Amino acid sequence: SQKIEQNSEALNIQEGKTATLTCNYTNYSPAYLQWYRQDPGRGPVFLLLIRENEKEKRKERLKVTFDTTLKQSLFHITASQPADSATYLCATDQTGANNLFFGTGTRLTVIP
Amino acid sequence: DAGVIQSPRHEVTEMGQEVTLRCKPISGHNSLFWYRQTMMRGLELLIYFNNNVPIDDSGMPEDRFSAKMPNASFSTLKIQPSEPRDSAVYFCASSITGFQPQHFGDGTRLSIL
């Protein structure tokens, strides 16, 4: 069955460092992948979308890569700040379905 | 622009009672999604509408759950009768089409005692 995994439940890093979050998928080939940020008590907020034919996408301090050979996406936050502390969710389209399939998220804490 | 609006934000009720959650999507969005989020299972899709028509309800846990979208600006998710295991945060999201980025409301935190 189709499966999407975010390897780390939680990640702590020092302010100023680059945070790298991982999203792996198995048993399917999504056409695109999205990353969302979720703060406590709030709904997820869309950050970036990358398509299968794109290797990399950037937005300010954020960078996403999509490796269809490794079946993996990496999400980077450079020059991390305490305000970046949140849970980050990856999501892909599902084969034969017109909706998103979410990972369980990685809780990032940036330590001042 | 107003985002997706959900009500109520919190609901506490006793087992066996009927619960109705409400959602107003963003104007112009054709797709609407209901999700349930728990610590154990993460964010799970319950049902998805396109142009007010239910497309996929395979995520609805059982017959106690039902959802309607009578028009483009309103949807409800109903649980009858409610059970303690239904306790979770329920999110509504909308998007221009199913593949586009989704805009989420801030959820309804439901507690069934």
Side-chain angles (χ1 to χ4, degrees):
Chain A
S1 61
Q2 297 174 4
K3 199 171 177 183
I4 183 169
E5 283 183 324
Q6 293 185 248
N7 291 358
S8 303
E9 262 193 41
L11 179 65
N12 296 335
I13 63 165
Q14 286 294 133
E15 182 176 4
K17 300 291 185 186
T18 296
T20 298
L21 284 64
T22 305
C23 179
N24 294 293
Y25 55 91
T26 53
N27 298 327
Y28 69 117
S29 298
Y32 61 89
L33 194 144
Q34 301 183 20
W35 284 89
Y36 289 75
R37 169 184 171 139
Q38 187 175 20
D39 291 288
R42 306 299 299 274
V45 174
F46 169 75
L47 296 174
L48 281 167
L49 181 152
I50 186 166
R51 292 182 170 80
E52 60 177 339
N53 60 349
E54 297 174 316
K55 295 286 187 214
E56 182 180 296
K57 207 89 174 270
R58 290 177 186 259
K59 179 182 174 183
E60 297 171 352
R61 293 183 296 111
L62 309 180
K63 184 177 88 171
V64 172
T65 63
F66 194 178
D67 189 326
T68 55
T69 302
L70 292 178
K71 292 186 178 289
Q72 180 181 81
S73 174
L74 299 180
F75 176 80
H76 306 273
I77 306 175
T78 58
S80 59
Q81 304 166 0
D84 295 327
S85 298
T87 296
Y88 292 86
L89 302 163
C90 67
T92 69
D93 58 303
Q94 284 187 274
T95 304
N98 195 25
N99 56 265
L100 291 179
F101 184 36
F102 280 84
T104 52
T106 296
R107 188 174 66 253
L108 174 68
T109 303
V110 181
I111 303 163
Chain B
D1 282 343
V4 174
I5 299 171
Q6 291 187 247
S7 64
R9 287 297 313 275
H10 303 274
E11 175 90 15
V12 180
T13 192
E14 292 192 344
M15 176 178 169
Q17 297 297 307
E18 179 179 290
V19 172
T20 299
L21 311 181
R22 296 173 176 79
C23 175
K24 178 178 168 55
I26 292 173
S27 176
H29 282 193
N30 297 317
S31 299
L32 183 139
F33 308 84
W34 282 101
Y35 292 90
R36 178 171 66 178
Q37 188 175 44
T38 60
M39 289 294 293
M40 289 297 294
R41 299 172 68 91
L43 199 60
E44 300 176 284
L45 178 67
L46 299 177
I47 187 169
Y48 152 54
F49 292 86
N50 195 43
N51 293 323
N52 312 339
V53 176
I55 302 300
D56 182 0
D57 66 353
S58 59
M60 297 285 260
E62 46 199 275
D63 292 346
R64 297 184 297 106
F65 286 68
S66 63
K68 293 183 180 178
M69 192 165 184
N71 56 61
S73 58
F74 184 65
S75 177
T76 59
L77 178 68
K78 191 172 289 189
I79 308 173
Q80 166 65 18
S82 57
E83 296 184 3
R85 59 192 168 118
D86 302 330
S87 298
V89 181
Y90 290 80
F91 287 103
C92 174
S94 70
S95 65
I96 295 173
T97 68
F99 291 121
Q100 295 296 315
Q102 294 183 12
H103 298 255
F104 283 77
D106 280 334
T108 295
R109 183 172 294 276
L110 178 64
S111 297
I112 308 296
L113 306 177

